[in-house]
Amino acid sequence: MTIAVNANSKRVIGKRSPMLYGHFIEHFHRQIYDGIFDPSSPLSDEDGFRTDIIEAMRRIKVPVLRWPGGCFVSSYHWKDAVGPVRQPLFDKAWRVEDPNTFGTDEYIRLCAKIGCEPYICTNAGTGTPEEMSDWVEYCNLENEGRYAKQRIANGYEKPYKVKYWSIGNENYGHWEIGAKSADEWGRLVRESAKMMRHVDPEAQLSAAALTDLDWNINLLKNCGQYLDWISIHQYWDMMAEVNEPASYEECMAFTKNIARSVDEVRGILTAMGLEDSIKIAFDEWNLRSWHHPNVHTIRLGVDRNDYLSPRDKNDVNTTYTMADAVFSACFLNAMNRNCDLVGMANFAPILNTRGCIYSYDTGIVLRSTYHVFDLYVNYLGDTVVDLWTEEKLPTMCVLDKNGRETVVEALDLLATKWSDRQGMAVAAVNKQTTAAQEITLWTDGMESDEEREKTGAQVILYTVEGAGPDSYNDRDREEVRIEQKSLGAFRRGMQIELAPHSVNVIQIIPAS
Protein backbone atom coordinates (compact mmCIF):
# COMPACT_ATOMS: atom_id res chain seq x y z
CA MET A 1 0.00 0.00 0.00
CA THR A 2 1.09 3.60 -0.63
CA ILE A 3 1.72 5.91 2.33
CA ALA A 4 2.03 9.65 1.72
CA VAL A 5 4.25 11.64 4.08
CA ASN A 6 4.12 15.43 4.08
CA ALA A 7 7.07 16.84 5.98
CA ASN A 8 6.61 20.52 5.13
CA SER A 9 5.93 23.03 7.86
CA LYS A 10 2.22 23.24 7.11
CA ARG A 11 1.63 19.59 8.00
CA VAL A 12 3.64 19.34 11.22
CA ILE A 13 1.67 17.79 14.09
CA GLY A 14 4.16 18.90 16.73
CA LYS A 15 7.62 18.55 18.19
CA ARG A 16 7.53 15.73 20.71
CA SER A 17 9.18 16.01 24.08
CA PRO A 18 12.07 13.60 24.74
CA MET A 19 10.23 12.78 27.98
CA LEU A 20 7.77 10.62 26.02
CA TYR A 21 10.52 8.00 26.35
CA GLY A 22 10.74 8.30 30.14
CA HIS A 23 10.94 5.55 32.74
CA PHE A 24 9.98 4.65 36.29
CA ILE A 25 11.57 2.77 39.18
CA GLU A 26 10.01 1.75 42.48
CA HIS A 27 10.96 0.04 45.72
CA PHE A 28 9.41 -3.23 44.59
CA HIS A 29 11.02 -6.65 44.39
CA ARG A 30 14.44 -6.30 42.68
CA GLN A 31 14.16 -2.90 41.06
CA ILE A 32 16.21 -0.95 43.64
CA TYR A 33 17.87 -3.42 46.02
CA ASP A 34 19.54 -6.35 44.26
CA GLY A 35 18.85 -4.32 41.14
CA ILE A 36 20.27 -0.91 40.28
CA PHE A 37 21.61 -0.41 43.82
CA ASP A 38 23.79 -3.30 44.91
CA PRO A 39 26.91 -2.17 46.82
CA SER A 40 28.06 -5.78 47.32
CA SER A 41 28.21 -6.54 43.60
CA PRO A 42 31.61 -6.59 41.84
CA LEU A 43 29.80 -4.91 38.93
CA SER A 44 28.92 -1.85 41.04
CA ASP A 45 30.80 1.43 41.23
CA GLU A 46 32.04 3.21 44.34
CA ASP A 47 28.51 4.47 45.05
CA GLY A 48 26.92 1.02 44.85
CA PHE A 49 25.32 1.36 41.40
CA ARG A 50 25.52 -1.38 38.80
CA THR A 51 27.61 0.06 35.97
CA ASP A 52 26.24 -2.34 33.35
CA ILE A 53 22.69 -1.20 34.09
CA ILE A 54 23.72 2.46 34.04
CA GLU A 55 25.36 1.96 30.65
CA ALA A 56 22.19 0.35 29.26
CA MET A 57 20.09 3.24 30.57
CA ARG A 58 22.43 5.74 28.93
CA ARG A 59 22.17 3.93 25.62
CA ILE A 60 18.43 4.63 25.49
CA LYS A 61 19.02 8.18 26.76
CA VAL A 62 16.56 7.94 29.66
CA PRO A 63 15.22 11.51 29.81
CA VAL A 64 13.32 11.38 33.10
CA LEU A 65 13.07 8.78 35.88
CA ARG A 66 10.03 8.72 38.16
CA TRP A 67 10.65 7.55 41.78
CA PRO A 68 10.02 6.26 44.52
CA GLY A 69 6.57 4.94 43.59
CA GLY A 70 4.12 3.72 42.88
CA CYS A 71 2.16 2.26 45.75
CA PHE A 72 5.33 2.25 47.86
CA VAL A 73 5.30 6.02 48.22
CA SER A 74 1.96 6.20 50.06
CA SER A 75 3.53 5.07 53.33
CA TYR A 76 7.05 6.39 52.63
CA HIS A 77 8.54 9.17 54.74
CA TRP A 78 11.53 10.61 52.94
CA LYS A 79 13.13 12.06 56.08
CA ASP A 80 13.92 8.55 57.36
CA ALA A 81 16.13 7.90 54.31
CA VAL A 82 18.55 10.84 54.31
CA GLY A 83 21.62 11.45 56.43
CA PRO A 84 24.07 9.05 58.07
CA VAL A 85 21.54 7.27 60.30
CA ARG A 86 18.91 5.34 58.37
CA GLN A 87 15.98 3.66 60.09
CA PRO A 88 14.52 0.67 58.24
CA LEU A 89 10.82 0.83 57.49
CA PHE A 90 8.19 -1.83 57.04
CA ASP A 91 6.74 -1.09 53.63
CA LYS A 92 3.02 -1.51 54.22
CA ALA A 93 2.23 -1.38 50.51
CA TRP A 94 4.39 -4.35 49.53
CA ARG A 95 4.75 -5.93 53.01
CA VAL A 96 8.53 -6.11 53.15
CA GLU A 97 11.23 -4.34 55.14
CA ASP A 98 13.06 -1.60 53.29
CA PRO A 99 16.48 -0.71 54.77
CA ASN A 100 16.15 2.92 53.66
CA THR A 101 19.74 2.86 52.41
CA PHE A 102 18.51 4.15 49.05
CA GLY A 103 16.87 7.52 49.57
CA THR A 104 16.69 10.98 48.03
CA ASP A 105 20.43 11.62 47.85
CA GLU A 106 21.12 8.24 46.25
CA TYR A 107 18.29 8.76 43.76
CA ILE A 108 19.63 12.17 42.71
CA ARG A 109 23.09 10.63 42.32
CA LEU A 110 21.57 7.89 40.13
CA CYS A 111 19.86 10.44 37.90
CA ALA A 112 23.16 12.30 37.52
CA LYS A 113 24.92 9.10 36.46
CA ILE A 114 22.21 8.33 33.90
CA GLY A 115 22.01 11.96 32.77
CA CYS A 116 18.25 12.27 33.29
CA GLU A 117 15.80 14.59 34.99
CA PRO A 118 14.52 13.47 38.40
CA TYR A 119 10.76 13.22 38.89
CA ILE A 120 9.74 12.72 42.52
CA CYS A 121 6.36 11.27 43.47
CA THR A 122 5.31 12.39 46.95
CA ASN A 123 3.43 10.66 49.75
CA ALA A 124 -0.21 11.73 49.50
CA GLY A 125 -1.42 8.65 51.35
CA THR A 126 -0.13 8.90 54.94
CA GLY A 127 1.80 12.08 54.17
CA THR A 128 0.84 15.72 54.56
CA PRO A 129 1.20 18.89 52.49
CA GLU A 130 3.89 20.01 54.92
CA GLU A 131 5.91 16.82 54.46
CA MET A 132 5.70 17.21 50.68
CA SER A 133 6.81 20.83 50.79
CA ASP A 134 9.64 19.93 53.20
CA TRP A 135 10.89 17.54 50.54
CA VAL A 136 10.95 20.40 48.03
CA GLU A 137 12.89 22.46 50.60
CA TYR A 138 15.48 19.71 51.00
CA CYS A 139 15.95 19.36 47.25
CA ASN A 140 15.57 22.86 45.89
CA LEU A 141 16.32 25.60 48.42
CA GLU A 142 19.86 26.90 48.36
CA ASN A 143 20.46 27.27 52.10
CA GLU A 144 17.29 28.60 53.71
CA GLY A 145 15.50 26.73 56.44
CA ARG A 146 15.98 23.48 58.27
CA TYR A 147 15.87 21.05 55.37
CA ALA A 148 18.21 22.83 52.96
CA LYS A 149 20.67 23.07 55.82
CA GLN A 150 20.19 19.38 56.50
CA ARG A 151 21.04 18.58 52.87
CA ILE A 152 24.18 20.69 53.14
CA ALA A 153 25.14 18.95 56.39
CA ASN A 154 24.67 15.63 54.62
CA GLY A 155 27.37 16.65 52.15
CA TYR A 156 25.34 18.12 49.27
CA GLU A 157 26.02 21.84 49.19
CA LYS A 158 24.27 22.72 45.95
CA PRO A 159 20.50 22.36 45.61
CA TYR A 160 19.26 19.51 43.43
CA LYS A 161 16.80 21.70 41.52
CA VAL A 162 14.24 18.95 41.04
CA LYS A 163 11.81 20.35 38.48
CA TYR A 164 9.12 17.65 38.30
CA TRP A 165 6.96 16.62 41.27
CA SER A 166 3.89 14.43 41.46
CA ILE A 167 1.39 14.80 44.26
CA GLY A 168 0.51 11.21 45.06
CA ASN A 169 0.26 8.03 43.06
CA GLU A 170 -3.03 6.16 42.54
CA ASN A 171 -4.86 7.66 45.50
CA TYR A 172 -8.21 7.09 43.79
CA GLY A 173 -7.76 3.32 44.16
CA HIS A 174 -8.93 1.13 47.04
CA TRP A 175 -5.55 -0.65 46.85
CA GLU A 176 -3.61 2.51 47.67
CA ILE A 177 -2.69 3.24 51.30
CA GLY A 178 -4.42 6.49 52.20
CA ALA A 179 -6.91 6.31 49.34
CA LYS A 180 -9.06 9.43 48.99
CA SER A 181 -12.50 10.35 47.78
CA ALA A 182 -12.77 12.87 44.95
CA ASP A 183 -13.60 15.68 47.40
CA GLU A 184 -10.75 14.75 49.75
CA TRP A 185 -8.34 14.55 46.85
CA GLY A 186 -9.21 17.97 45.47
CA ARG A 187 -8.57 19.64 48.84
CA LEU A 188 -5.37 17.73 49.57
CA VAL A 189 -3.86 18.44 46.16
CA ARG A 190 -4.76 22.13 46.38
CA GLU A 191 -3.15 22.61 49.79
CA SER A 192 -0.11 20.51 48.88
CA ALA A 193 0.41 22.42 45.64
CA LYS A 194 0.14 25.75 47.44
CA MET A 195 2.82 24.83 49.97
CA MET A 196 5.14 23.27 47.39
CA ARG A 197 4.88 26.31 45.15
CA HIS A 198 5.57 28.61 48.10
CA VAL A 199 8.88 26.81 48.46
CA ASP A 200 9.71 26.73 44.75
CA PRO A 201 7.44 28.68 42.39
CA GLU A 202 9.20 27.10 39.39
CA ALA A 203 8.45 23.51 40.38
CA GLN A 204 6.18 21.73 37.90
CA LEU A 205 3.40 19.83 39.62
CA SER A 206 1.32 16.84 38.63
CA ALA A 207 -1.49 15.04 40.43
CA ALA A 208 -3.00 11.59 40.13
CA ALA A 209 -6.06 11.46 37.89
CA LEU A 210 -8.43 9.04 36.24
CA THR A 211 -10.34 9.14 33.01
CA ASP A 212 -13.32 9.33 35.39
CA LEU A 213 -15.36 12.48 34.80
CA ASP A 214 -16.31 13.25 38.41
CA TRP A 215 -12.79 12.70 39.77
CA ASN A 216 -11.11 14.89 37.18
CA ILE A 217 -13.65 17.68 37.26
CA ASN A 218 -13.34 17.87 41.04
CA LEU A 219 -9.54 17.84 40.84
CA LEU A 220 -9.34 20.45 38.11
CA LYS A 221 -11.95 22.74 39.65
CA ASN A 222 -10.02 22.77 42.93
CA CYS A 223 -6.48 22.66 41.60
CA GLY A 224 -6.34 23.38 37.87
CA GLN A 225 -4.66 26.72 38.41
CA TYR A 226 -1.87 25.06 40.44
CA LEU A 227 -1.08 22.14 38.14
CA ASP A 228 1.20 21.81 35.12
CA TRP A 229 0.42 18.15 34.54
CA ILE A 230 -2.33 15.62 35.02
CA SER A 231 -1.09 12.07 35.65
CA ILE A 232 -2.69 8.93 34.22
CA HIS A 233 -1.69 5.26 34.46
CA GLN A 234 -2.63 2.17 32.48
CA TYR A 235 -1.73 -1.49 32.18
CA TRP A 236 -3.57 -3.65 29.69
CA ASP A 237 -2.71 -7.30 30.42
CA MET A 238 -3.80 -7.44 34.06
CA MET A 239 -1.92 -10.10 36.03
CA ALA A 240 -1.74 -8.83 39.59
CA GLU A 241 -3.37 -11.94 41.07
CA VAL A 242 -2.99 -14.59 38.34
CA ASN A 243 0.19 -14.66 36.28
CA GLU A 244 -1.23 -15.76 32.92
CA PRO A 245 0.37 -13.62 30.18
CA ALA A 246 -1.75 -12.83 27.16
CA SER A 247 -0.69 -14.50 23.91
CA TYR A 248 0.69 -12.55 20.97
CA GLU A 249 -2.70 -12.20 19.27
CA GLU A 250 -4.43 -11.34 22.55
CA CYS A 251 -1.88 -8.56 22.99
CA MET A 252 -2.65 -7.27 19.51
CA ALA A 253 -6.29 -6.91 20.61
CA PHE A 254 -5.06 -4.51 23.31
CA THR A 255 -3.70 -2.18 20.61
CA LYS A 256 -7.22 -1.21 19.55
CA ASN A 257 -8.01 2.32 20.82
CA ILE A 258 -4.69 2.34 22.68
CA ALA A 259 -4.91 6.10 23.21
CA ARG A 260 -8.51 6.14 24.45
CA SER A 261 -7.57 7.39 27.91
CA VAL A 262 -5.65 10.28 26.33
CA ASP A 263 -8.68 11.15 24.21
CA GLU A 264 -10.94 11.15 27.27
CA VAL A 265 -8.64 13.36 29.33
CA ARG A 266 -8.16 15.66 26.35
CA GLY A 267 -11.91 16.12 26.21
CA ILE A 268 -12.13 17.01 29.89
CA LEU A 269 -9.24 19.49 29.70
CA THR A 270 -10.70 21.09 26.58
CA ALA A 271 -14.16 21.36 28.12
CA MET A 272 -12.64 23.14 31.13
CA GLY A 273 -10.42 25.41 29.03
CA LEU A 274 -7.20 23.92 30.41
CA GLU A 275 -5.78 22.21 27.31
CA ASP A 276 -3.18 24.96 26.84
CA SER A 277 -1.99 25.07 30.45
CA ILE A 278 -1.98 21.41 31.59
CA LYS A 279 -0.26 18.52 29.85
CA ILE A 280 -0.72 14.80 30.33
CA ALA A 281 1.97 12.81 32.08
CA PHE A 282 1.28 9.14 31.25
CA ASP A 283 3.69 8.36 34.06
CA GLU A 284 3.02 4.66 34.52
CA TRP A 285 2.39 2.39 31.57
CA ASN A 286 3.22 -1.09 30.41
CA LEU A 287 1.51 -3.83 28.47
CA ARG A 288 1.57 -6.21 31.44
CA SER A 289 0.70 -5.37 35.03
CA TRP A 290 3.03 -6.45 37.82
CA HIS A 291 2.36 -9.79 39.52
CA HIS A 292 1.90 -9.34 43.29
CA PRO A 293 -0.91 -11.60 44.53
CA ASN A 294 -2.58 -11.32 47.91
CA VAL A 295 -1.32 -7.85 48.88
CA HIS A 296 -4.02 -5.57 47.44
CA THR A 297 -6.87 -7.84 48.42
CA ILE A 298 -9.10 -7.76 51.51
CA ARG A 299 -8.00 -11.27 52.50
CA LEU A 300 -4.22 -10.99 52.57
CA GLY A 301 -1.71 -13.76 52.10
CA VAL A 302 -0.24 -14.95 55.40
CA ASP A 303 2.50 -17.30 54.24
CA ARG A 304 5.31 -15.59 52.31
CA ASN A 305 4.88 -18.24 49.64
CA ASP A 306 1.40 -16.81 49.07
CA TYR A 307 2.33 -13.17 48.59
CA LEU A 308 6.11 -12.68 48.36
CA SER A 309 7.70 -15.60 46.51
CA PRO A 310 5.24 -15.36 43.57
CA ARG A 311 6.79 -12.01 42.63
CA ASP A 312 9.72 -13.96 41.19
CA LYS A 313 7.40 -14.87 38.30
CA ASN A 314 7.87 -11.31 37.04
CA ASP A 315 11.47 -12.28 36.28
CA VAL A 316 10.64 -15.11 33.86
CA ASN A 317 12.12 -13.75 30.66
CA THR A 318 10.06 -16.00 28.37
CA THR A 319 7.15 -13.65 29.16
CA TYR A 320 8.65 -10.69 27.27
CA THR A 321 8.26 -11.51 23.61
CA MET A 322 7.68 -9.68 20.35
CA ALA A 323 4.15 -9.08 21.67
CA ASP A 324 5.60 -6.69 24.25
CA ALA A 325 7.79 -5.01 21.64
CA VAL A 326 4.99 -4.52 19.11
CA PHE A 327 2.53 -3.27 21.73
CA SER A 328 5.07 -0.84 23.18
CA ALA A 329 5.82 0.58 19.73
CA CYS A 330 2.10 1.09 19.10
CA PHE A 331 1.80 2.90 22.42
CA LEU A 332 4.76 5.17 21.65
CA ASN A 333 3.33 5.90 18.19
CA ALA A 334 0.06 6.95 19.81
CA MET A 335 1.81 9.21 22.32
CA ASN A 336 3.85 10.81 19.53
CA ARG A 337 0.66 11.50 17.58
CA ASN A 338 -0.67 13.24 20.71
CA CYS A 339 2.53 15.15 21.40
CA ASP A 340 0.65 18.44 21.53
CA LEU A 341 -0.87 17.31 24.83
CA VAL A 342 1.15 14.35 26.12
CA GLY A 343 4.47 15.71 27.36
CA MET A 344 5.73 12.76 29.40
CA ALA A 345 5.33 8.99 29.52
CA ASN A 346 7.10 6.61 31.92
CA PHE A 347 7.54 2.93 31.15
CA ALA A 348 6.94 1.00 34.37
CA PRO A 349 9.45 -0.10 35.45
CA ILE A 350 12.77 0.24 33.65
CA LEU A 351 14.46 -2.63 35.52
CA ASN A 352 13.36 -6.13 36.53
CA THR A 353 9.69 -6.89 37.29
CA ARG A 354 8.17 -6.08 33.86
CA GLY A 355 11.10 -3.84 32.93
CA CYS A 356 12.93 -3.57 29.64
CA ILE A 357 16.18 -4.49 31.42
CA TYR A 358 16.62 -7.64 33.52
CA SER A 359 19.58 -7.99 35.86
CA TYR A 360 21.23 -10.96 37.48
CA ASP A 361 24.44 -11.47 39.47
CA THR A 362 26.84 -11.45 36.54
CA GLY A 363 25.08 -9.41 33.87
CA ILE A 364 21.92 -8.10 32.27
CA VAL A 365 19.38 -9.12 29.66
CA LEU A 366 17.96 -6.54 27.28
CA ARG A 367 14.35 -7.60 26.79
CA SER A 368 12.43 -7.02 23.58
CA THR A 369 11.00 -3.71 24.82
CA TYR A 370 14.50 -2.32 25.41
CA HIS A 371 15.23 -2.51 21.69
CA VAL A 372 12.04 -0.60 20.89
CA PHE A 373 13.23 2.27 23.09
CA ASP A 374 16.67 2.06 21.48
CA LEU A 375 15.04 2.24 18.04
CA TYR A 376 12.72 5.15 18.82
CA VAL A 377 15.19 7.21 20.85
CA ASN A 378 18.16 6.84 18.51
CA TYR A 379 16.67 6.52 15.02
CA LEU A 380 13.37 8.48 14.90
CA GLY A 381 13.05 12.22 14.39
CA ASP A 382 11.87 14.67 17.02
CA THR A 383 9.14 16.33 14.93
CA VAL A 384 5.92 14.47 14.12
CA VAL A 385 4.49 15.12 10.67
CA ASP A 386 1.33 14.16 8.86
CA LEU A 387 0.91 10.97 6.88
CA TRP A 388 -2.08 9.47 5.13
CA THR A 389 -3.16 6.86 2.63
CA GLU A 390 -6.02 6.71 0.18
CA GLU A 391 -6.22 2.98 0.76
CA LYS A 392 -7.81 1.27 3.71
CA LEU A 393 -5.26 -0.03 6.19
CA PRO A 394 -5.14 -3.83 6.29
CA THR A 395 -6.84 -5.40 9.28
CA MET A 396 -6.51 -8.62 11.25
CA CYS A 397 -9.07 -10.48 13.32
CA VAL A 398 -7.82 -11.74 16.68
CA LEU A 399 -9.33 -13.16 19.83
CA ASP A 400 -8.91 -10.95 22.88
CA LYS A 401 -8.09 -12.33 26.32
CA ASN A 402 -11.80 -12.91 26.97
CA GLY A 403 -12.18 -14.94 23.79
CA ARG A 404 -14.04 -12.26 21.83
CA GLU A 405 -13.27 -11.55 18.19
CA THR A 406 -11.62 -8.18 17.71
CA VAL A 407 -10.66 -6.49 14.45
CA VAL A 408 -7.55 -4.30 14.63
CA GLU A 409 -5.49 -2.48 12.03
CA ALA A 410 -2.48 -4.58 11.08
CA LEU A 411 -0.20 -1.58 10.50
CA ASP A 412 0.64 1.28 12.85
CA LEU A 413 2.53 4.15 11.22
CA LEU A 414 4.21 7.32 12.43
CA ALA A 415 6.12 9.87 10.32
CA THR A 416 8.83 12.10 11.75
CA LYS A 417 11.60 14.44 10.71
CA TRP A 418 14.45 16.14 12.54
CA SER A 419 14.40 19.75 13.65
CA ASP A 420 18.18 20.10 13.29
CA ARG A 421 18.93 18.27 10.03
CA GLN A 422 17.40 17.09 6.78
CA GLY A 423 15.72 13.73 6.26
CA MET A 424 12.78 11.81 7.60
CA ALA A 425 12.15 8.64 9.56
CA VAL A 426 8.96 6.58 9.51
CA ALA A 427 8.07 4.13 12.26
CA ALA A 428 6.17 1.20 10.78
CA VAL A 429 4.77 -1.57 12.98
CA ASN A 430 3.52 -4.76 11.38
CA LYS A 431 1.27 -6.57 13.86
CA GLN A 432 0.57 -9.53 11.58
CA THR A 433 1.56 -12.79 13.19
CA THR A 434 3.03 -14.48 10.11
CA ALA A 435 2.39 -12.25 7.08
CA ALA A 436 4.80 -9.62 5.78
CA GLN A 437 3.43 -6.26 4.60
CA GLU A 438 4.67 -4.08 1.75
CA ILE A 439 4.46 -0.30 1.79
CA THR A 440 5.45 2.40 -0.67
CA LEU A 441 6.40 5.81 0.70
CA TRP A 442 5.38 8.87 -1.28
CA THR A 443 7.07 11.93 0.20
CA ASP A 444 5.93 15.55 -0.19
CA GLY A 445 4.54 14.98 -3.67
CA MET A 446 6.30 13.75 -6.80
CA GLU A 447 8.58 16.80 -7.02
CA SER A 448 10.19 15.95 -3.72
CA ASP A 449 10.46 12.30 -4.68
CA GLU A 450 12.23 13.35 -7.88
CA GLU A 451 14.60 15.56 -5.92
CA ARG A 452 15.42 12.76 -3.50
CA GLU A 453 16.04 10.41 -6.39
CA LYS A 454 18.32 12.89 -8.17
CA THR A 455 20.40 13.65 -5.07
CA GLY A 456 20.84 10.00 -4.15
CA ALA A 457 19.09 10.06 -0.79
CA GLN A 458 19.78 6.80 1.04
CA VAL A 459 17.18 4.52 2.61
CA ILE A 460 18.07 2.56 5.72
CA LEU A 461 15.76 0.07 7.41
CA TYR A 462 16.14 -0.65 11.13
CA THR A 463 14.07 -3.56 12.38
CA VAL A 464 13.29 -5.08 15.77
CA GLU A 465 12.13 -8.61 15.14
CA GLY A 466 12.49 -12.21 16.21
CA ALA A 467 12.20 -15.53 14.44
CA GLY A 468 8.64 -15.87 15.72
CA PRO A 469 6.07 -13.82 17.65
CA ASP A 470 7.09 -15.58 20.88
CA SER A 471 10.82 -14.84 20.49
CA TYR A 472 12.48 -13.51 23.64
CA ASN A 473 15.86 -12.74 25.16
CA ASP A 474 17.36 -14.39 28.21
CA ARG A 475 20.74 -15.25 29.68
CA ASP A 476 22.86 -16.57 26.80
CA ARG A 477 19.87 -16.17 24.46
CA GLU A 478 19.38 -13.20 22.14
CA GLU A 479 16.50 -13.75 19.75
CA VAL A 480 15.34 -10.13 19.55
CA ARG A 481 17.62 -7.32 18.48
CA ILE A 482 17.86 -4.36 16.09
CA GLU A 483 18.86 -5.37 12.57
CA GLN A 484 20.10 -2.73 10.11
CA LYS A 485 19.72 -3.06 6.35
CA SER A 486 20.69 -0.59 3.65
CA LEU A 487 18.02 -0.41 0.93
CA GLY A 488 20.23 1.72 -1.31
CA ALA A 489 19.39 4.99 -3.02
CA PHE A 490 15.83 6.28 -2.83
CA ARG A 491 13.73 5.37 -5.86
CA ARG A 492 10.25 6.60 -6.64
CA GLY A 493 7.76 3.86 -5.97
CA MET A 494 10.26 1.66 -4.15
CA GLN A 495 8.53 -0.96 -2.06
CA ILE A 496 9.65 -1.73 1.47
CA GLU A 497 8.80 -5.05 3.05
CA LEU A 498 7.93 -5.16 6.74
CA ALA A 499 8.53 -8.52 8.35
CA PRO A 500 5.70 -10.06 10.40
CA HIS A 501 5.51 -9.14 14.10
CA SER A 502 8.13 -6.42 13.62
CA VAL A 503 8.87 -2.85 14.64
CA ASN A 504 10.66 -0.80 11.98
CA VAL A 505 12.15 2.61 11.40
CA ILE A 506 12.69 3.62 7.76
CA GLN A 507 15.15 6.48 7.39
CA ILE A 508 15.44 8.51 4.20
CA ILE A 509 18.67 10.47 4.57
CA PRO A 510 20.00 13.02 2.06
CA ALA A 511 23.33 12.10 0.51
CA SER A 512 26.17 13.92 2.24
Side-chain angles (χ1 to χ4, degrees):
M1 67 182 305
T2 300
I3 309 297
V5 179
N6 194 322
N8 68 41
S9 59
K10 295 179 181 179
R11 302 302 292 263
V12 168
I13 293 173
K15 185 175 180 181
R16 61 116 179 110
S17 167
M19 294 198 302
L20 286 185
Y21 306 135
H23 291 270
F24 168 58
I25 199 163
E26 181 173 355
H27 293 239
F28 175 84
H29 203 225
R30 296 193 314 107
Q31 295 177 34
I32 300 290
Y33 305 108
D34 192 30
I36 187 66
F37 186 65
D38 191 357
S40 65
S41 171
L43 298 177
S44 293
D45 64 16
E46 67 280 3
D47 295 317
F49 294 103
R50 284 276 297 265
T51 56
D52 52 347
I53 300 172
I54 297 288
E55 183 180 350
M57 291 180 175
R58 287 176 179 164
R59 166 67 188 169
I60 56 173
K61 300 183 176 116
V62 173
V64 61
L65 185 67
R66 181 172 175 255
W67 170 87
C71 296
F72 169 80
V73 78
S74 286
S75 64
Y76 176 68
H77 300 288
W78 69 268
K79 297 173 188 177
D80 296 333
V82 295
V85 179
R86 305 288 179 94
Q87 295 295 325
L89 69 92
F90 182 73
D91 170 13
K92 295 182 179 65
W94 300 123
R95 301 179 63 199
V96 295
E97 183 178 87
D98 188 302
N100 263 334
T101 50
F102 185 98
T104 304
D105 301 317
E106 290 75 24
Y107 163 68
I108 296 295
R109 196 176 306 140
L110 170 62
C111 290
K113 290 174 184 285
I114 298 170
C116 70
E117 289 277 359
Y119 175 27
I120 292 179
C121 181
T122 62
N123 179 357
T126 62
T128 64
E130 184 172 28
E131 182 181 31
M132 296 181 219
S133 62
D134 290 347
W135 208 348
V136 182
E137 282 189 41
Y138 184 87
C139 291
N140 289 8
L141 287 189
E142 187 171 351
N143 53 29
E144 300 169 276
R146 171 183 175 184
Y147 297 105
K149 288 179 171 59
Q150 183 181 359
R151 184 198 69 243
I152 294 168
N154 289 340
Y156 307 97
E157 182 178 354
K158 294 183 179 179
Y160 294 142
K161 297 183 180 179
V162 177
K163 182 177 181 179
Y164 302 104
W165 297 84
S166 174
I167 299 171
N169 181 51
E170 295 168 353
N171 299 82
Y172 44 75
H174 65 85
W175 56 88
E176 193 84 5
I177 291 173
K180 305 289 190 290
S181 68
D183 288 339
E184 291 171 329
W185 187 238
R187 288 192 294 271
L188 176 64
V189 170
R190 183 184 63 232
E191 296 310 309
S192 302
K194 281 165 54 179
M195 291 190 73
M196 294 167 80
R197 284 205 182 280
H198 281 194
V199 175
D200 183 356
E202 294 184 322
Q204 291 202 14
L205 304 181
S206 178
L210 283 164
T211 52
D212 178 78
L213 192 63
D214 291 338
W215 179 277
N216 278 355
I217 288 176
N218 189 289
L219 171 66
L220 294 170
K221 276 185 175 179
N222 278 281
C223 316
Q225 67 270 36
Y226 293 104
L227 297 177
D228 304 281
W229 302 84
I230 188 167
S231 163
I232 57 176
H233 296 173
Q234 192 167 358
Y235 299 86
W236 283 258
D237 188 14
M238 299 305 296
M239 294 192 286
E241 298 301 320
V242 180
N243 192 59
E244 293 181 354
S247 68
Y248 179 85
E249 290 197 354
E250 289 168 346
C251 290
M252 294 308 97
F254 290 130
T255 65
K256 188 169 187 174
N257 299 323
I258 203 169
R260 183 178 180 85
S261 56
V262 172
D263 295 338
E264 292 177 356
V265 173
R266 180 189 291 275
I268 294 171
L269 289 171
T270 302
M272 300 186 72
L274 296 169
E275 73 277 11
D276 293 329
S277 59
I278 294 179
K279 285 189 173 291
I280 292 174
F282 213 131
D283 56 18
E284 262 194 62
W285 73 272
N286 202 325
L287 166 61
R288 308 187 196 273
S289 73
W290 306 1
H291 184 55
H292 44 68
N294 303 312
V295 293
H296 288 163
T297 51
I298 294 174
R299 292 186 180 276
L300 299 172
V302 176
D303 190 296
R304 292 167 70 90
N305 289 326
D306 293 331
Y307 70 92
L308 191 58
S309 299
R311 298 175 195 178
D312 290 337
K313 294 179 181 178
N314 291 295
D315 284 340
V316 178
N317 284 316
T318 56
T319 304
Y320 309 102
T321 67
M322 282 306 303
D324 301 72
V326 169
F327 178 91
S328 296
C330 292
F331 176 88
L332 292 173
N333 282 357
M335 296 307 106
N336 273 274
R337 287 190 287 265
N338 285 277
C339 66
D340 63 318
L341 184 63
V342 182
M344 184 193 304
N346 303 76
F347 186 74
I350 187 170
L351 176 68
N352 296 326
T353 316
R354 306 295 189 194
C356 60
I357 305 170
Y358 165 79
S359 69
Y360 55 99
D361 289 348
T362 57
I364 61 174
V365 173
L366 303 179
R367 290 172 172 160
S368 64
T369 45
Y370 178 90
H371 297 292
V372 174
F373 278 101
D374 189 352
L375 193 69
Y376 276 55
V377 167
N378 291 306
Y379 300 102
L380 269 185
D382 62 356
T383 304
V384 182
V385 299
D386 192 22
L387 63 72
W388 69 97
T389 178
E390 294 181 356
E391 305 169 50
K392 188 175 181 180
L393 284 174
T395 60
M396 54 192 290
C397 184
V398 295
L399 295 180
D400 69 16
K401 205 170 181 180
N402 295 314
R404 297 171 300 202
E405 285 192 353
T406 304
V407 176
V408 297
E409 292 179 341
L411 291 177
D412 191 314
L413 304 165
L414 173 77
T416 68
K417 66 176 183 177
W418 289 272
S419 59
D420 59 351
R421 64 185 189 272
Q422 293 297 309
M424 64 177 60
V426 176
V429 181
N430 181 10
K431 305 178 198 177
Q432 289 278 13
T433 311
T434 59
Q437 294 282 336
E438 281 192 343
I439 62 172
T440 301
L441 291 182
W442 176 36
T443 60
D444 279 342
M446 292 305 294
E447 293 80 10
S448 293
D449 280 351
E450 288 178 1
E451 187 64 27
R452 287 186 174 87
E453 194 171 46
K454 288 177 182 177
T455 58
Q458 296 295 302
V459 183
I460 305 172
L461 177 66
Y462 299 90
T463 302
V464 176
E465 62 176 328
D470 296 326
S471 295
Y472 65 94
N473 294 339
D474 207 341
R475 305 186 199 192
D476 303 318
R477 181 190 188 107
E478 188 186 23
E479 296 184 340
V480 180
R481 64 182 72 86
I482 296 178
E483 301 285 357
Q484 178 180 341
K485 182 179 180 181
S486 174
L487 302 183
F490 178 83
R491 306 180 306 279
R492 284 174 289 175
M494 69 185 299
Q495 292 185 323
I496 299 170
E497 183 176 278
L498 308 176
H501 54 266
S502 69
V503 181
N504 308 270
V505 168
I506 306 157
Q507 288 187 345
I508 304 176
I509 306 296
S512 56

